[in-house]
Amino acid sequence: MKLKFDKKTTWIAFVLIIISFLAIQYAVFFRIFTLTDDMTYYYIGKSITQGSYPYREIMAVHPPLYYYLLALSIKIFGVNFLVLKSITLFSVIIISFFLFKIALENFNEISAILSVILFLFSSTVLQYTQGSNGALETTAFIIAAYYFLTKKRFFISGALFAFAGLTRLYFLPFFIICFFYSLFEFKEAKLSIHYKPTLKFILGFLIVFLSVNIFLLMKYGKGFYTGVYLYQALGGLIRAQYSFSAKLDSLWFIIGSNPILFLLSFFTLCFKKLRPYSIYVVTVIVYILFVFQLKEIFVHYYLVILPFIVLICGMLLSNMP
């Protein structure tokens, strides 16, 4: 007999989990100071509020959305580190919300509750929530895009992917997977092609992504193009090549930090009836392959796939007695 919760109890449990997570973050992790790239991003955000131009007067090598989120925070609250760190915390709450919604609508109430717990209290999320590098902000847009994609809201999904791309460029493998998901449908052992959903998906992406990029090119000139896209495309020519063992070490670090998540996701692959949700499995595999072909790999690159690993675990948990 499976343990069941009604809808109201499930939502109350979700809110209590969020409150517990926030309490732990503000009481413990937000008191820990780490000297990372956070200060560089904060400086860029502050410089924007003072009238300086990123990509022209300030060296910036990432898309602009995260810089401007920091600038907006500084403009309203001043240089308040608690508020600045809370931007990432808010992104984690958004990720948790869409994780909860996906698991609740596709699996069951227990799976939804456990998925949120597994995500929020994983070692990596507890550690990286108090940092600021744009990874979790990108993840929030991506998981929201996946949710609306599975709800057949293709235009909204594409627009959300555009915001992800305006935050960090490693949104690309997720975008490609969802492009093919919108194009092909496998039903009753037959593969069919549907162009209309894909057109909506691409249109939503292009309207947001191109309009913002055109505006920024007009504002910052070629400095924006060379600072973001040309640097990321050609930067590999001047960067040191990480060895395969070094790349493997970073993956093992994430696995070792979250053994329960990866162990549960491994067991999930044994359940054939979970194939309808194979998009999450494909996402994890494709993204890991994508990361391994990069010249440089940082641990926070793997933050983006944690919600999908949690969803794989959720599939297993929903089938447990």
Side-chain angles (χ1 to χ4, degrees):
M1 181 178 179
K2 291 186 177 181
L3 182 63
K4 292 185 179 181
F5 290 101
D6 59 44
K7 195 170 184 179
K8 181 179 179 181
T9 304
T10 306
W11 278 100
I12 291 174
F14 172 73
V15 172
L16 291 176
I17 293 167
I18 295 296
I19 292 173
S20 301
F21 174 75
L22 291 174
I24 292 173
Q25 283 293 332
Y26 282 118
V28 180
F29 289 92
F30 271 46
R31 297 178 180 272
I32 301 173
F33 176 79
T34 55
L35 188 60
T36 63
D37 290 343
D38 300 15
M39 299 301 126
T40 301
Y41 300 137
Y42 297 160
Y43 172 76
I44 294 174
K46 183 180 179 182
S47 298
I48 291 173
T49 64
Q50 296 172 337
S52 297
Y53 285 80
Y55 313 109
R56 185 190 297 176
E57 300 171 346
I58 311 167
M59 181 180 177
V61 296
H62 294 296
L65 184 55
Y66 184 57
Y67 299 141
Y68 276 92
L69 284 175
L70 294 173
L72 179 63
S73 173
I74 293 171
K75 190 74 173 178
I76 298 173
F77 301 102
V79 183
N80 186 314
F81 290 111
L82 183 64
V83 175
L84 289 169
K85 286 176 178 287
S86 295
I87 294 175
T88 302
L89 186 64
F90 181 67
S91 300
V92 172
I93 301 304
I94 293 175
I95 297 169
S96 302
F97 172 77
F98 282 106
L99 268 177
F100 180 78
K101 289 281 288 181
I102 292 172
L104 185 62
E105 294 176 10
N106 292 279
F107 312 137
N108 57 33
E109 291 81 3
I110 280 291
S111 177
I113 294 170
L114 292 178
S115 294
V116 174
I117 292 174
L118 285 171
F119 175 72
L120 287 178
F121 297 99
S122 64
S123 172
T124 302
V125 171
L126 286 172
Q127 177 184 353
Y128 277 89
T129 297
Q130 57 89 30
S132 301
N133 54 37
L136 288 167
E137 288 75 11
T138 308
T139 307
F141 287 121
I142 290 173
I143 195 68
Y146 268 73
Y147 172 77
F148 284 103
L149 185 78
T150 58
K151 301 293 287 184
K152 308 298 182 183
R153 306 291 294 274
F154 298 103
F155 183 88
I156 296 175
S157 178
L160 286 167
F161 267 116
F163 286 114
L166 292 168
T167 310
R168 287 294 184 270
L169 293 180
Y170 40 74
F171 85 103
L172 188 58
F174 301 94
F175 176 78
I176 293 173
I177 290 169
C178 291
F179 169 82
F180 285 110
Y181 180 88
S182 68
L183 183 62
F184 297 107
E185 183 179 13
F186 189 78
K187 191 174 182 180
E188 297 179 355
K190 292 183 179 180
L191 185 65
S192 57
I193 300 177
H194 300 280
Y195 295 106
K196 190 174 180 180
T198 307
L199 289 174
K200 291 180 179 179
F201 179 73
I202 294 296
L203 186 62
F205 175 79
L206 290 178
I207 287 176
V208 176
F209 194 77
L210 287 183
S211 60
V212 173
N213 275 272
I214 290 170
F215 170 78
L216 292 171
L217 278 170
M218 293 173 62
K219 183 174 183 178
Y220 298 128
K222 66 178 182 180
F224 169 70
Y225 171 78
T226 56
V228 179
Y229 302 111
L230 198 61
Y231 173 82
Q232 298 295 341
L234 302 180
L237 298 176
I238 59 175
R239 294 174 188 165
Q241 174 70 55
Y242 279 34
S243 66
F244 181 80
S245 61
K247 294 178 179 181
L248 199 59
D249 286 343
S250 64
L251 178 59
W252 280 119
F253 178 82
I254 286 291
I255 294 174
S257 300
N258 308 277
I260 296 176
L261 285 182
F262 283 88
L263 191 61
L264 285 174
S265 61
F266 173 77
F267 284 128
T268 304
L269 301 178
C270 301
F271 287 77
K272 292 183 179 180
K273 61 182 177 180
L274 300 178
R275 284 180 181 175
Y277 308 107
S278 60
I279 184 174
Y280 307 126
V281 179
V282 171
T283 295
V284 172
I285 294 172
V286 169
Y287 184 76
I288 290 175
L289 292 175
F290 166 79
V291 169
F292 263 72
Q293 62 82 36
L294 299 175
K295 278 204 167 185
E296 291 181 325
I297 295 180
F298 301 99
V299 173
H300 68 262
Y301 285 4
Y302 289 107
L303 288 173
V304 194
I305 59 169
L306 282 183
F308 299 97
I309 294 172
V310 168
L311 284 173
I312 294 171
C313 297
M315 288 187 282
L316 174 65
L317 296 171
S318 67
N319 284 270
M320 292 179 65

